[in-house]
């Protein structure tokens, strides 16, 4: 469970090797030793276990100045779950329950209750240039305005899936949801979009709000576990990671909810990975275009997440893949990190943008809606979209949400 005491022993496995130095986006952007995973672990040990340091504002800043991208965890030779330990530390530090971020996470994402008037005003304000260019742009209509319930497969149904719609798709990019629905249906997959879904809970965990994350997990697992489906898919890699790896850690191991979480996690898959494994039945038409692929950081929870988009899009004749120098370089967004730590986020994003701009790719695909949002802020000359939206284009359709 996400309590520091649970990680006391595993923290001792950190050999101080500094391999995390090569993969930490924050360190590479700031070159500050305090931002390395090993030094954050040392700080946690001294504050919470040894009590040799106080939890100062500077200490809080260091522990919060992390994207939770999981890159250090993925490359740690000792397999120290650094991001889980940081989540536990943030839980120990407590949340700013009266702050703007806490309100956004708890009231909007936690309950998926964006007031309709706020969404409309936000969309209008952004159209006329109020609020700055690098703020989330709410869609005029959320995904559930047009999609819910059962959607039949075209032709013979090969499988039936439940579709967990993440907050990024629901609020910002409902066109991605349309692409998932249309592409799956065209390929003989029936879709169940159950009502009552809320945020997966990972933004709440990042804020140290364990109880808020538990509430979200309880709500979603109760809905998803009750469905008679072959699989559960999500288009967002962060949502998938939450269900697959994080949800069970929000509760004690003897909590009865663990059985439901386990069943949901077993069925959970990322949309492109699931479709690629099942295979296409409708061959895409030729499409003359060039695209690059930005690999999301939250990819390690399923082996096929990283390669599935390329495998699917390789079926499109005339569609050329333009490899980036470092396709796995973090974009710097990380939920609300880019708003909390704007300067660092921009430094992280800068080489990613340069990598894309020097390519001749006309489009950039990525599964992560937050990556899509943050990259698109500075890529006015290129379309940034979900891989299934590009696949839908090859079917002679468009995922624009109208």
């Amino acid at each position: 469970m996400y309590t520091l005491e649970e990680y006391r022993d595993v923290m001792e496995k950190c050999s101080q090797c500094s391999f995390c130095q090569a993969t930490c986006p924050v360190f590479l952007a700031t070159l500050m030793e305090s931002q390395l995973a090993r030094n954050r672990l040392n700080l946690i040990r001294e504050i919470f276990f040894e009590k040799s340091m106080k939890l100062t504002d500077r200490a809080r800043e260091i522990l919060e100045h992390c994207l939770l991208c999981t890159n250090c965890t993925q490359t740690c030779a000792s397999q120290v779950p650094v991001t889980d330990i940081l989540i536990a530390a943030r839980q120990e530090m407590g949340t700013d329950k009266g702050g703007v971020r806490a309100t956004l996470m708890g009231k909007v994402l936690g309950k998926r209750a964006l007031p309709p008037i706020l969404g409309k005003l936000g969309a209008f304000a952004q159209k006329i240039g109020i609020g700055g260019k690098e703020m989330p742009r709410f869609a005029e209509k959320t995904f559930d305005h047009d999609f819910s319930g059962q959607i039949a497969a075209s032709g013979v149904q090969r499988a039936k899936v439940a579709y967990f719609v993440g907050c990024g798709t629901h609020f910002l990019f409902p066109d991605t949801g349309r692409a998932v629905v249309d592409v799956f249906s065209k390929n003989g997959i029936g879709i169940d979009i159950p009502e009552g879904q809320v945020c997966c809970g990972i933004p709440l965990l990042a804020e140290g709000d364990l109880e808020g994350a538990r509430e979200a997990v309880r709500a979603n697992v109760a809905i998803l576990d009750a469905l008679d489906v072959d699989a559960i898919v999500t288009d967002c890699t962060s949502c998938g990671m939450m269900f697959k790896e994080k949800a069970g850690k929000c509760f004690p191991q003897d909590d009865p909810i663990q059985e439901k979480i386990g069943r949901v996690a077993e069925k959970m898959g990322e949309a492109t990975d699931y479709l690629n494994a099942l295979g296409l039945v409708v061959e895409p038409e030729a499409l003359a275009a060039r695209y690059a692929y930005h690999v999301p950081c939250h990819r390690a929870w399923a082996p096929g997440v990283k390669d599935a988009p390329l495998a699917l899009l390789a079926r499109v004749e005339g569609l050329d893949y333009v490899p980036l120098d470092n396709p796995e370089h973090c974009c710097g967004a990380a939920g609300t990190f880019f708003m909390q730590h704007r300067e660092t986020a921009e430094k992280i994003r800068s080489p990613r943008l340069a990598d894309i701009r020097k390519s001749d790719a006309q489009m950039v695909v990525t599964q992560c809606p937050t990556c899509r949002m943050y990259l698109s802020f500075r890529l006015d000359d290129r379309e940034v979209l979900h891989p299934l939206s590009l696949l839908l284009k090859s079917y002679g359709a468009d995922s624009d949400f109208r």
Side-chain angles (χ1 to χ4, degrees), residues 50-65:
E50 298 176 3
K51 309 294 184 182
S52 59
M53 291 182 63
K54 292 184 178 180
L55 181 59
T56 62
D57 289 342
R58 175 56 179 157
R60 282 181 176 273
E61 180 185 347
I62 291 171
L63 296 180
E64 290 178 352
H65 205 171

Side-chain angles (χ1 to χ4, degrees), residues 130-325:
I130 299 175
K133 292 184 177 181
E134 299 210 345
M135 292 294 290
R137 301 183 178 102
F138 293 116
E140 293 185 13
K141 295 189 299 182
T142 55
F143 175 77
D144 64 0
H145 185 274
D146 282 3
F147 292 98
S148 64
Q150 307 281 334
I151 299 173
S154 297
V156 177
Q157 178 171 296
R158 299 189 296 155
K160 183 179 180 181
V161 302
Y163 179 22
F164 179 80
V165 183
C167 294
T169 294
H170 184 72
F171 289 121
L172 305 177
F173 299 116
D175 60 294
T176 293
R178 178 184 290 277
V180 172
V181 169
D182 286 357
V183 170
F184 272 49
S185 179
K186 285 178 183 294
N187 284 281
I189 305 170
I191 306 117
D192 187 346
I193 307 172
E195 294 183 359
Q197 299 181 54
V198 297
C199 175
C200 69
I202 202 164
L204 297 158
L205 275 185
E207 293 293 315
D209 185 0
L210 179 58
E211 189 49 50
R214 285 173 175 166
E215 185 179 343
V217 171
R218 288 189 191 99
N220 288 321
V221 165
I223 294 168
L224 297 173
D225 185 52
L227 301 176
D228 182 17
V229 292
D230 300 306
I232 304 167
V233 300
T234 181
D235 58 78
C236 173
T237 50
S238 297
C239 291
M241 183 181 70
M242 178 64 190
F243 283 106
K244 204 79 171 178
E245 296 184 347
K246 308 297 185 188
K249 298 173 184 176
C250 293
F251 301 88
Q253 284 302 306
D254 59 355
D255 192 305
I257 199 174
Q258 292 289 0
E259 291 186 13
K260 290 184 178 181
I261 291 173
R263 288 192 293 266
V264 170
E266 187 176 2
K267 286 189 174 183
M268 179 61 64
E270 187 268 335
T272 62
D273 190 20
Y274 179 81
L275 182 61
N276 183 55
L278 192 63
L280 301 179
V281 293
V282 178
E283 286 298 323
E285 300 174 5
L287 184 65
R290 299 180 302 279
Y291 77 97
Y293 175 32
H294 168 73
V295 182
C297 290
H298 292 165
R299 59 184 178 271
W301 57 275
V305 167
K306 175 182 171 181
D307 299 323
L310 298 181
L312 286 173
L313 295 175
R315 302 281 291 271
V316 183
E317 184 179 350
L319 188 60
D320 293 331
Y321 167 52
V322 181
L324 298 175
D325 289 343

Side-chain angles (χ1 to χ4, degrees), residues 330-352:
C330 179
C331 75
T336 61
F337 181 91
F338 77 98
M339 292 187 284
Q340 299 166 243
H341 308 285
R342 189 175 299 276
E343 183 178 350
T344 302
E346 289 176 355
K347 286 182 179 179
I348 295 170
R349 181 179 59 179
S350 181
R352 161 50 80 239

